[in-house]
Amino acid sequence: MPLGFPRFSLYRLLLSSLLLPSFRLQGKMDSDRNFDTEVTAEVRTDEENAAEDEFRIRLIAEVQNNPAVYSKVTPNGRNRVGREKAWRKIAAALHEFVGDHSSNEQFARFCEVKFVSMRNNYNRHLKRLGTLREDGTESKPYKFAPLLEFLRPLFKARGQGQS
């Protein structure tokens, strides 16, 4: 039987912020205003994973064609308005693939967040190259690393400072 915790307790806040997005808190409130909490995993099908991968591949291709969103040395790279315009252009190109009914502005922000996450994962991948885990095995390579090679010149070599 799950423990009862106050509805807006620190425990619930920490639990919900630490869990991966694929996990969800479910529960019910009883008469004492306690919330019985249990964590359930949402299992994604192979088709959903394939669709997500296809979206990411298309997103990478669109970003590669719009250097203003990833490179500060391009004319619009330091211009916030130019970057936002480029993200809207990317979102418009991907909007019909996804079939999303949200506004282009919201979808542009979604695409930007997804790409920043992939860029950070790629940077982490580059930092781990040639290093071994504690058990002596090599780190698992990042799935989209070959597609993100165009970003490599933008990251400073390890040990030369932060990028």
Side-chain angles (χ1 to χ4, degrees):
M1 179 169 167
L3 297 172
F5 292 96
R7 185 172 183 198
F8 298 107
S9 69
L10 181 60
Y11 169 80
R12 180 168 165 67
L13 178 67
L14 286 173
L15 194 65
S16 64
S17 65
L18 293 176
L19 294 176
L20 297 173
S22 63
F23 287 87
R24 182 179 11 163
L25 289 176
Q26 292 182 339
K28 59 181 180 170
M29 198 165 71
D30 62 17
S31 60
D32 296 331
R33 298 196 48 86
N34 286 334
F35 196 80
D36 291 332
T37 306
E38 72 180 67
V39 179
T40 59
E42 294 179 2
V43 179
R44 294 176 66 179
T45 64
D46 290 339
E47 291 146 4
E48 289 172 328
N49 287 334
E52 175 75 16
D53 288 351
E54 180 66 23
F55 169 75
R56 288 177 186 241
I57 290 167
R58 288 178 186 233
L59 176 61
I60 292 168
E62 288 295 327
V63 167
Q64 190 171 8
N65 293 332
N66 292 283
V69 299
Y70 67 86
S71 176
K72 302 257 186 207
V73 296
T74 59
N76 285 331
R78 293 189 181 269
N79 180 351
R80 182 179 55 86
V81 175
R83 281 194 320 269
E84 287 175 357
K85 185 177 179 182
W87 278 116
R88 284 193 300 271
K89 180 181 171 187
I90 290 169
L94 294 173
H95 216 242
E96 58 188 54
F97 167 72
V98 174
D100 192 344
H101 299 292
S102 64
S103 73
N104 198 41
E105 293 291 325
Q106 290 174 328
F107 191 64
R109 181 68 183 136
F110 172 79
C111 291
E112 183 180 1
V113 167
K114 282 285 189 188
F115 179 74
V116 167
S117 174
M118 288 190 295
R119 183 196 64 197
N120 292 342
N121 287 335
Y122 177 67
N123 191 19
R124 232 175 275 121
H125 162 79
L126 291 177
K127 289 178 182 179
R128 283 192 305 244
L129 283 177
T131 61
L132 298 177
R133 293 189 213 164
E134 290 177 9
D135 62 357
T137 60
E138 286 189 19
S139 297
K140 182 179 172 185
Y142 182 51
K143 185 181 203 173
F144 300 106
L147 299 173
L148 294 168
E149 280 296 314
F150 67 95
L151 295 175
R152 187 183 282 253
L154 302 175
F155 297 120
K156 294 180 181 177
R158 192 168 192 190
Q160 293 181 355
Q162 297 292 327
S163 58

